[in-house]
């Protein structure tokens, strides 16, 4: 019966995440149908396990006693460990609230631009910061073709207005073709992040994004340069308007796209702070 309760727990967990909307903290909602299907799969397995357990409850004790299972204590210990492995994620999911990532995560891991570093370090270890990079999901030619389509889409716009739907796509295109967006007007919303290397009139404006699932999530955005020092703290949400340009950013030893801010305002943290990568069919 323990197996039945574990399966029931997983079925209820997927149902809970789907109903409360917290599923979006784990996966790109483009793939929500997978979790929705898993809910029914676990429900079916729960019923199947209940039927099997009911049948196994028929009297068989005399046979077991005659056989003399000398390793029964060891077998029980192993079963208990196996059950705990499955129970732990259930207990964690229900007892600990889903935490929204913030600047403390960025501070702990540092910030850098993947695929643009000159030190030749492993690009797969650097994909989670500043610049969205979906090249690992394409062949080289396919990725180039996909980015050229994005460039045609965003390159013809007089002003880039980044929102929840186009944030990661547009951001990746800007980093891929920074020269094509020079002097282009842009506006977007994000949370402020400052580190020791940023000047008094500089800050990063970021949003946490999910490409497919939380395993490939990252923090993405642009460096801001204000006309003068501004009293902003980490994790404050602001909306900025400005002009895109490029500069050699000494702390990263590379050229970066950045925003010359013309105006900004504090805004409330959005109900859905994450953004998700959109893929063309």
């Amino acid at each position: 019966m323990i197996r039945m309760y574990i399966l029931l727990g997983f079925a209820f967990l997927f149902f809970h995440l789907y109903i409360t909307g917290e599923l979006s903290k784990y996966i790109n909602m483009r793939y929500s149908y997978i979790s929705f299907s898993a809910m029914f799969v676990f429900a079916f397995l729960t019923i199947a396990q209940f039927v099997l357990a009911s049948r196994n409850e028929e009297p068989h004790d005399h046979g077991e006693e005659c056989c003399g299972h000398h390793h029964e204590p060891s077998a029980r210990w192993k079963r208990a460990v196996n059950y705990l492995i499955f129970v732990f994620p259930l207990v964690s999911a229900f007892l600990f609230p889903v935490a929204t990532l913030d600047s403390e995560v960025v501070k702990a891991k540092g910030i850098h631009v993947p695929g643009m570093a000159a030190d030749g370090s492993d690009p797969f270890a650097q994909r989670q910061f500043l610049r969205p990079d979906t090249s690992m999901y394409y062949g080289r030619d396919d990725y180039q073709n996909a980015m050229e389509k994005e460039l045609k889409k965003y390159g013809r716009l007089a002003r880039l207005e980044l929102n929840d739907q186009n944030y990661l796509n547009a951001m990746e295109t800007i980093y891929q073709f920074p020269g094509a967006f020079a002097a282009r007007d842009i506006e977007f919303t994000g949370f402020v992040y400052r580190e020791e290397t940023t000047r008094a009139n500089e800050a990063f404006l970021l949003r946490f994004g999910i490409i497919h699932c939380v395993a490939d999530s990252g923090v993405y955005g642009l460096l801001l340069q204000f006309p003068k020092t501004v009293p902003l703290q980490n994790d404050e949400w602001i909306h900025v308007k400005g002009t895109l340009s490029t500069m050699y950013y000494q702390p990263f030893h590379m050229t970066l796209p950045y925003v010359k801010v013309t105006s900004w305002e504090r805004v409330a943290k959005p109900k859905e702070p994450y953004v998700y990568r959109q893929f063309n069919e």
Side-chain angles (χ1 to χ4, degrees):
M1 295 295 287
I2 296 178
R3 295 178 182 177
M4 184 196 74
Y5 288 120
I6 291 176
L7 290 169
L8 180 62
F10 277 105
F12 182 75
L13 174 60
F14 278 93
F15 175 78
H16 171 75
L17 292 175
Y18 194 86
I19 293 298
T20 59
E22 292 183 346
L23 184 63
S24 63
K25 302 296 189 299
Y26 296 97
I27 64 171
N28 188 329
M29 291 305 289
R30 169 189 174 91
Y31 307 107
S32 62
Y33 68 92
I34 298 177
S35 296
F36 189 72
S37 301
M39 178 175 62
F40 290 98
V41 171
F42 278 114
F44 172 78
L45 292 176
T46 300
I47 296 172
Q49 186 61 41
F50 174 77
V51 173
L52 291 174
S54 299
R55 292 178 178 176
N56 290 335
E57 285 180 356
E58 297 177 1
H60 293 295
D61 293 341
H62 62 280
E64 293 181 357
E65 292 175 358
C66 294
C67 295
H69 292 277
H70 300 293
H71 301 288
E72 185 64 22
S74 176
R76 288 181 178 178
W77 179 83
K78 291 179 180 179
R79 285 199 299 270
V81 172
N82 290 335
Y83 290 146
L84 286 175
I85 292 174
F86 289 99
V87 170
F88 179 75
L90 288 175
V91 174
S92 301
F94 288 117
L95 293 185
F96 301 106
V98 180
T100 301
L101 302 178
D102 56 22
S103 65
E104 289 300 316
V105 177
V106 187
K107 183 178 180 180
K109 294 187 176 182
I111 191 168
H112 50 263
V113 183
M116 297 178 68
D119 59 4
S121 52
D122 182 7
F124 288 97
Q126 299 188 22
R127 292 194 183 276
Q128 302 302 309
F129 299 93
L130 209 56
R131 171 188 179 178
D133 189 343
T134 57
S135 60
M136 69 172 71
Y137 306 109
Y138 296 88
R140 178 175 297 182
D141 293 338
D142 291 336
Y143 178 69
Q144 189 63 32
N145 292 335
M147 293 311 302
E148 288 178 357
K149 289 181 181 179
E150 298 285 2
L151 178 60
K152 290 180 181 179
K153 177 180 179 181
Y154 296 108
R156 66 189 180 198
L157 301 177
R159 170 184 288 271
L160 293 173
E161 297 183 17
L162 276 56
N163 53 43
D164 291 355
Q165 286 69 45
N166 66 14
Y167 187 96
L168 288 184
N169 296 61
M171 194 66 67
E172 185 170 6
T173 308
I174 291 170
Y175 275 99
Q176 187 72 16
F177 308 100
F181 295 96
R184 189 73 54 89
D185 291 336
I186 185 173
E187 61 177 290
F188 67 110
T189 299
F191 68 88
V192 173
Y193 174 69
R194 280 176 155 165
E195 56 181 10
E196 296 178 356
T197 61
T198 53
R199 300 175 181 174
N201 69 326
E202 293 178 344
F204 288 98
L205 193 61
L206 310 168
R207 290 193 71 167
F208 278 96
I210 293 178
I211 296 177
H212 287 105
C213 66
V214 71
D216 57 24
S217 63
V219 57
Y220 309 107
L222 292 164
L223 177 68
L224 306 180
Q225 190 175 82
F226 296 88
K228 58 182 180 180
T229 302
V230 290
L232 290 172
Q233 303 297 323
N234 283 354
D235 294 321
E236 285 192 86
W237 284 79
I238 65 173
H239 182 82
V240 301
K241 297 180 181 180
T243 305
L244 280 166
S245 187
T246 58
M247 66 180 293
Y248 184 80
Y249 192 61
Q250 182 62 36
F252 293 170
H253 304 292
M254 64 183 68
T255 299
L256 289 179
Y258 77 102
V259 179
K260 293 186 287 186
V261 178
T262 56
S263 65
W264 65 276
E265 60 179 340
R266 290 183 174 89
V267 296
K269 179 180 178 179
K271 182 179 180 181
E272 178 50 78
Y274 293 3
V275 288
Y276 306 90
R277 185 61 159 82
Q278 307 297 318
F279 289 91
N280 297 321
E281 299 294 343

